[in-house]
Amino acid sequence: MDTTEIIVTLTGLALSAFVIWYFFFSARQTASAVSTASGVQEVDITVKGATRPTSSRWSGASPCS
């Protein structure tokens, strides 16, 4: 192996390690839904660096979890 092949191989391994860390080990914020007495689920949404939505709706066929 010459120097270029070693650099390309190490860069590929580093990028692969980053992707694995990002998708499997990085800390993430989770959302949770609260059901009210009438059975309606409500979720508070905070958007950083953008506008804040006033409301969001989900159909009854798809769970909001």
Side-chain angles (χ1 to χ4, degrees):
M1 280 185 151
D2 63 347
T3 305
T4 305
E5 290 175 339
I6 293 172
I7 291 171
V8 169
T9 302
L10 291 176
T11 303
L13 289 172
L15 289 174
S16 296
F18 173 74
V19 168
I20 290 170
W21 170 81
Y22 183 80
F23 285 107
F24 297 112
F25 300 111
S26 66
R28 296 189 188 142
Q29 293 180 345
T30 58
S32 60
V34 177
S35 294
T36 61
S38 62
V40 176
Q41 293 181 336
E42 295 181 3
V43 178
D44 289 330
I45 300 173
T46 303
V47 180
K48 296 180 181 177
T51 60
R52 183 181 172 115
T54 56
S55 66
S56 296
R57 296 185 178 258
W58 282 269
S59 67
S62 63
C64 176
S65 58

